[in-house]
Amino acid sequence: MSNSFFQKDIVSVRDFDKQKFETVFQATDKIIGMNQNERREIVRGKTLGYLFFEPSTRTRLSFEAAMASIGGTSLGIADASSSSAKKGESLADTVKIMSLYSDVLVLRHQLDGSSRFAAEISEKPLINAGSGTEEHPTQAILDLYTIRKEKKKIDGLKVGIVGDLKYGRTVYSLLYALSNYNVDVKLISPPSLKIRADSTYEIRKKLQYTETSDLEENLDDLDVIYVTRIQKERFADIEEYVKVRGSYKIGPELVNKIKDDAIIMHPLPRLDEISPEIDSTKQAKYFKQAQYGKDTRAALLALILNENGI
Ligand code: CP
């Protein structure tokens, strides 16, 4: 029997349950434990095609690095303005062409629904690497893996999610992912950046959460502090951005208030919401989180491209 990821699209984390997360986590642990020669046989001869219509550092490069680490190659468009999209070629045609040259596609696009649409068009499995303000499922996979690895469990934890909860797509994927676990969630944001009303019904069905705008008063009992950037590029009115920019800044004085064994995460990029002074503290896990991004993406690619998994 083939593994349940084989040749499947990854469009939304809502398609995952606890068992599917565990399959990716175990595959990740297995790949990390392999030597380089074993690893390079996993997807030898396979090609990843990437299409990035929005800027990226971590997601694109970690997919490329992941594919190389398991023996595959990558090609793609890192900047849509240098592709024929600039001449007016449709997303549908771009995806069709890329699926001729690749075994698996990775798409980042500014529009909600873009990945679902592209997955229907593509003849090869497609991975959503960020679709508008909607979702970023592989970020949620690496986020959960980081929590599991650094806290040794996910169930039973108190998780605070801080910052731009309205526009941050990583927040939605993380909330959908966490709804498979028994966790207490505190959502900490300026009132104008609370999670979107159209998502609260679905999230509330499976997840306990409270909402507040006060960061300092709500840090002391958290096991995980997940900080996000205020997403300037998503604001229709720049004046609204100016009102909320710099709302939260985690500096040394706030780190003194958190639990000794709490972890601080961030999907990155960061602006000023986490001071660089925090980087050397034992609670700072955001760079490790980015490293796990490569490992979990390698596992996901291995599962999608190999019928028998790894
Ligand atoms: N976390 C994340 O998606 O980072 P990039 O935008 O750099 O890919």
Side-chain angles (χ1 to χ4, degrees):
M1 200 172 72
S2 65
N3 89 77
S4 65
F5 288 90
F6 181 56
Q7 293 297 315
K8 293 288 191 327
D9 303 312
I10 307 291
V11 171
S12 169
V13 93
R14 282 176 280 184
D15 299 330
F16 278 63
D17 57 18
K18 220 167 172 171
Q19 182 53 51
K20 286 186 90 167
F21 284 119
E22 199 50 41
T23 300
V24 182
F25 299 158
Q26 284 175 15
T28 306
D29 290 339
K30 199 165 170 186
I31 287 179
I32 290 172
M34 286 176 172
N35 67 40
Q36 205 176 63
N37 290 340
E38 287 175 311
R39 223 179 280 159
R40 291 218 169 125
E41 291 303 314
I42 297 175
V43 295
R44 188 136 73 115
K46 303 280 187 196
T47 301
L48 176 151
Y50 57 81
L51 295 167
F52 277 70
F53 288 81
E54 282 189 328
S56 168
T57 296
R58 275 145 295 275
T59 310
R60 187 175 67 76
L61 294 177
S62 66
F63 264 114
E64 272 201 74
M67 195 63 179
S69 74
I70 53 174
T73 55
S74 302
L75 55 85
I77 295 167
D79 172 6
S81 69
S82 67
S83 77
S84 286
K86 180 84 174 165
K87 296 181 242 169
E89 186 163 45
S90 66
L91 176 61
D93 282 1
T94 308
V95 166
K96 272 185 201 154
I97 296 303
M98 188 55 97
S99 69
L100 297 175
Y101 306 147
S102 326
D103 298 292
V104 57
L105 269 66
V106 174
L107 172 70
R108 171 170 290 186
H109 197 281
Q110 63 278 13
L111 292 181
D112 290 4
S114 50
S115 273
R116 183 75 63 195
F117 169 75
E120 283 165 14
I121 304 253
S122 176
E123 292 182 9
K124 303 289 167 52
L126 183 137
I127 303 174
N128 177 2
S131 49
T133 58
E134 194 181 42
E135 274 220 49
H136 191 349
T138 63
Q139 179 71 46
I141 293 169
L142 77 92
D143 291 342
L144 285 197
Y145 184 81
T146 304
I147 297 172
R148 175 184 177 272
K149 195 90 174 166
E150 298 298 323
K151 294 298 300 173
K152 312 291 178 223
K153 62 177 187 175
I154 300 174
D155 284 314
L157 296 179
K158 288 188 193 310
V159 180
I161 308 180
V162 182
D164 183 350
L165 311 187
K166 183 176 182 182
Y167 297 119
R169 58 191 169 207
T170 68
V171 170
Y172 292 87
S173 287
L174 180 60
L175 287 170
Y176 295 134
L178 286 172
S179 69
N180 291 285
Y181 296 84
N182 177 23
V183 287
D184 268 349
V185 173
K186 269 186 204 171
L187 300 178
I188 304 167
S189 71
S192 64
L193 295 180
K194 286 162 72 165
I195 58 168
R196 298 189 295 270
D198 59 355
S199 302
T200 52
Y201 176 72
E202 187 177 348
I203 294 167
R204 273 211 188 278
K205 277 195 291 190
K206 288 173 73 186
L207 190 72
Q208 298 283 337
Y209 70 83
T210 55
E211 293 180 288
T212 177
S213 57
D214 192 331
L215 175 64
E216 207 168 330
E217 290 302 309
N218 283 284
L219 282 173
D220 60 342
D221 65 342
L222 296 175
D223 302 298
V224 177
I225 301 156
Y226 188 97
V227 186
T228 64
R229 172 178 67 93
I230 305 226
Q231 310 243 321
K232 182 180 180 185
E233 67 275 23
R234 310 267 180 221
F235 282 73
D237 181 345
I238 194 68
E239 290 306 318
E240 293 304 307
Y241 169 71
V242 171
K243 284 182 200 163
V244 290
R245 75 176 167 203
S247 292
Y248 302 116
K249 290 185 180 167
I250 307 243
E253 62 297 342
L254 282 193
V255 170
N256 284 336
K257 296 184 182 227
I258 71 176
K259 282 164 73 169
D260 205 45
D261 63 348
I263 60 171
I264 303 172
M265 298 173 59
H266 193 309
L268 303 177
R270 70 173 151 183
L271 298 179
D272 58 0
E273 58 277 3
I274 297 180
S275 159
E277 288 171 83
I278 304 307
D279 298 356
S280 56
T281 66
K282 65 178 175 211
Q283 289 101 337
K285 300 293 178 194
Y286 28 93
F287 292 115
K288 235 172 168 183
Q289 187 183 351
Q291 170 62 40
Y292 293 141
K294 178 189 155 201
D295 302 327
T296 50
R297 286 174 175 130
L300 197 58
L301 291 167
L303 291 166
I304 291 171
L305 293 170
N306 285 332
E307 186 160 9
N308 298 320
I310 55 163

